[in-house]
């Protein structure tokens, strides 16, 4: 176990397979300092990470393209120990798509959903009792485009997120300007589309975050630097856009929203702005709507 008042922090970044693409740190919650613990080489271009709820297994995308190399995009599973830090790869599975960029574990920890950005598809893998990934159980391919000829010439599935206390998965597709709603079969590990929530043309939905109640969904729109609030029906999966707010000031340079996060107490939404190099902070009122409180430099 880690010492009291400390947490394990895992950081990934594009690197060759023999480089330190995934690095581990001990975060001291009292002082705010990071202590390097070690690295986990072994896969090319690791990007999005997901740590299993039991803390023993780590999953990473290998964000590569079938057009650029024979082995295409992949997802890898590793066994990790926290103190002392140690890690080893368990196995890798191909994702049948280009540039997998996001991972999500279902609430039971038995399934992993992977979003393939460039090819606009989503894959599901079972998690074995040893943490390794089994053969793909489900796959869906999006089709279509939206109005931005450079960024929305085709589908680009950017994230898949499980709805809390509900059998649905929301896939944010930047290329389609859509939130595609799937019913997830947690016995078979498959996805069935049941509807879509529309984003404004050119918005480019990227990542989503849920209010703790599960009835409000916040979407970071990468291309137009906005955060949209949606009402969500946990019985039917229906989505309705209710509010849109900007994440950068009017005079901001070229910028793109990256990640979005809701605080555990449900009081604030946090959004990262790439280009403006900042974090936007929004207060959540009693109806679930947002008011921007601050835009803070991220320091780099």
């Amino acid at each position: 176990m880690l010492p009291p008042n400390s947490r394990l922090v895992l950081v990934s970044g594009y690197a060759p397979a023999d480089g330190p693409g995934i690095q581990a740190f001990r975060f001291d919650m009292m002082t705010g300092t990071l202590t390097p613990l070690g690295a986990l080489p072994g896969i090319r271009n690791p990007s999005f990470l997901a740590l299993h709820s039991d803390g023993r297994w780590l999953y990473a995308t290998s964000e590569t393209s079938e057009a650029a190399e024979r082995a295409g995009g992949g997802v890898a599973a590793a066994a990790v120990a926290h103190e002392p830090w140690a890690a080893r790869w368990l196995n890798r599975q191909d994702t049948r798509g280009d540039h997998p960029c996001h991972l999500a574990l279902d609430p039971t920890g038995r399934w992993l959903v992977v979003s393939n950005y460039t090819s606009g598809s989503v894959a599901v893998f079972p998690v074995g009792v040893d943490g390794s990934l089994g053969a793909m159980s489900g796959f869906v391919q999006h089709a279509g485009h939206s109005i931005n000829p450079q960024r929305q010439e085709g589908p680009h599935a950017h994230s898949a997120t499980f709805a809390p206390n509900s059998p649905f998965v929301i896939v944010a597709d930047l290329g389609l300007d859509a939130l595609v709603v799937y019913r997830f079969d947690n016995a078979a590990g498959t996805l069935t589309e049941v509807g879509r929530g529309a984003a404004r043309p050119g918005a480019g939905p990227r990542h989503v975050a849920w209010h703790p109640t599960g009835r409000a969904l916040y979407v970071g729109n990468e291309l137009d630097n906005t955060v949209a609030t949606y009402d969500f029906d946990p019985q039917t999966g229906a989505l309705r856009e209710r509010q849109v707010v900007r994440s950068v000031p009017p005079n901001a340079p070229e910028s793109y929203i990256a990640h979005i996060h809701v605080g555990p107490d449900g009081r604030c939404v946090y959004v990262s702005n790439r280009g403006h190099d900042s974090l936007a902070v929004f207060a959540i009122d009693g109806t679930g709507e947002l008011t921007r409180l601050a835009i803070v430099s991220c320091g780099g």
Side-chain angles (χ1 to χ4, degrees):
M1 297 293 292
L2 288 168
N5 299 314
S6 66
R7 295 289 186 272
L8 177 67
V9 173
L10 298 168
V11 179
S12 67
Y14 296 153
D18 59 355
I22 299 174
Q23 300 187 55
F25 299 84
R26 180 189 298 117
F27 175 64
D28 189 315
M29 299 174 65
M30 303 301 292
T31 65
T33 56
L34 289 168
T35 302
L37 299 176
L40 178 61
I43 63 171
R44 182 170 179 260
N45 285 0
S47 59
F48 203 91
L49 304 178
L51 188 65
H52 197 275
S53 58
D54 70 5
R56 295 183 296 159
W57 304 322
L58 174 68
Y59 303 95
T61 57
S62 178
E63 194 169 330
T64 58
S65 168
E66 291 176 349
E69 59 175 47
R70 182 176 181 181
V75 58
V80 299
H82 292 218
E83 189 68 24
W85 159 259
R88 60 182 177 87
W89 292 111
L90 296 171
N91 73 328
R92 169 183 159 144
Q93 296 283 4
D94 292 339
T95 64
R96 281 179 55 190
D98 298 344
H99 300 114
C101 64
H102 187 271
L103 301 172
L105 285 156
D106 85 307
T108 70
R110 296 173 50 234
W111 304 98
L112 183 74
V113 179
V114 185
S115 300
N116 294 311
Y117 175 79
T118 300
S119 53
S121 57
V122 181
V124 185
F125 297 89
V127 176
V129 294
D130 63 348
S132 64
L133 294 171
M136 185 184 298
S137 60
F139 182 84
V140 292
Q141 175 66 58
H142 293 178
H145 61 88
S146 192
I147 65 170
N148 186 317
Q150 286 76 43
R151 296 294 308 278
Q152 297 179 310
E153 79 297 343
H156 294 307
H158 219 314
S159 63
T161 308
F162 285 88
N165 304 312
S166 186
F168 299 106
V169 172
I170 311 299
V171 176
D173 194 306
L174 179 146
L176 302 183
D177 281 325
L179 301 173
V180 187
V181 183
Y182 290 96
R183 183 179 297 275
F184 181 68
D185 184 330
N186 63 9
T190 55
L191 297 164
T192 302
E193 184 175 342
V194 297
R196 298 192 176 193
R200 284 158 298 101
R206 176 186 171 102
H207 284 183
V208 308
W210 293 92
H211 191 273
T213 63
R215 290 189 171 274
L217 178 67
Y218 303 102
V219 179
N221 291 314
E222 176 176 336
L223 300 184
D224 70 355
N225 299 292
T226 62
V227 179
T229 303
Y230 286 79
D231 293 320
F232 176 71
D233 187 330
Q235 303 302 316
T236 65
L239 286 165
R240 181 181 67 86
E241 187 181 81
R242 176 153 50 110
Q243 181 198 28
V244 178
V245 293
R246 284 186 57 79
S247 67
V248 294
N251 61 346
E254 184 178 24
S255 190
Y256 301 97
I257 278 181
H259 196 53
I260 185 169
H261 181 76
V262 175
D265 59 6
R267 296 173 57 190
C268 289
V269 171
Y270 305 89
V271 175
S272 58
N273 298 308
R274 296 179 300 166
H276 192 246
D277 299 337
S278 63
L279 299 174
V281 185
F282 300 87
I284 304 174
D285 69 17
T287 70
E289 293 196 352
L290 303 179
T291 300
R292 198 172 72 200
L293 297 179
I295 301 176
V296 183
S297 172
C298 69

